[in-house]
Amino acid sequence: MSDQMSDMGNQGAPRLSTTELAFEIFHRVIAIFCLIAGVRYWSLLIGISEQGAWRFDLLPVHWKIAASSLAVLWPVAGIGLWMVVSWGPVVWLVAAVTETLMHTAFPELYGERWMLTLAHGLVALLYGAFRLALYFSRRSEDQTE
């Protein structure tokens, strides 16, 4: 009887393919890193880390704009990615492009962080590979039906 009840509870939920499940896990892993990045920016801005050297009131204007924007964008991107909603990757892209531009186009202001920009590029490539894999997977399913 309990087996029938548990089967009945799962009838409405669609089964995820391996690629879809891996894509969801990918979203959640990146979401955790986004939340960590957001907490890092907040801890810098309120003076918890770096002995208060990065407190908002002590920063130059260009860092005030960038750090306060990223302190908001990273947690929002993390929440969107964790929920696996369409706007999550968009907000992640805005934050990642912002940080990439900061450290590649303006290294004299923000410093060079090539590992960070490389990581953003790798995540973008993985995201694109997942989207392509899902596209071809769904396309082949449509053709077999």
Side-chain angles (χ1 to χ4, degrees), residues 3-143:
D3 289 338
Q4 289 175 338
M5 294 297 272
S6 64
D7 288 344
M8 287 173 58
N10 292 334
Q11 286 177 354
R15 290 197 181 263
L16 295 177
S17 70
T18 305
T19 308
E20 291 170 330
L21 182 61
F23 193 44
E24 268 195 33
I25 292 169
F26 173 73
H27 271 86
R28 301 245 163 99
V29 169
I30 301 305
I32 291 169
F33 284 105
C34 289
L35 292 171
I36 290 169
V39 168
R40 180 183 169 276
Y41 273 107
W42 278 108
S43 69
L44 289 171
L45 290 175
I46 62 175
I48 291 176
S49 60
E50 305 289 331
Q51 291 78 34
W54 282 82
R55 264 188 6 225
F56 184 80
D57 59 329
L58 301 176
L59 291 176
V61 173
H62 61 277
W63 265 111
K64 284 181 180 179
I65 294 167
S68 58
S69 299
L70 291 169
V72 173
L73 285 171
W74 282 126
V76 171
I79 291 167
L81 288 168
W82 187 267
M83 294 182 347
V84 192
V85 292
S86 60
W87 53 266
V90 175
V91 178
W92 174 87
L93 184 65
V94 170
V97 167
T98 300
E99 259 190 348
T100 300
L101 285 174
M102 284 169 49
H103 298 295
T104 57
F106 305 104
E108 66 280 354
L109 295 176
Y110 300 103
E112 286 185 8
R113 293 186 64 192
W114 61 272
M115 287 293 285
L116 179 68
T117 58
L118 184 67
H120 289 326
L122 180 63
V123 169
L125 284 174
L126 282 170
Y127 184 83
F130 269 117
R131 294 300 296 182
L132 280 173
L134 287 169
Y135 170 76
F136 288 120
S137 169
R138 290 177 184 150
R139 187 172 162 201
S140 68
E141 285 176 8
D142 289 345
Q143 289 177 348

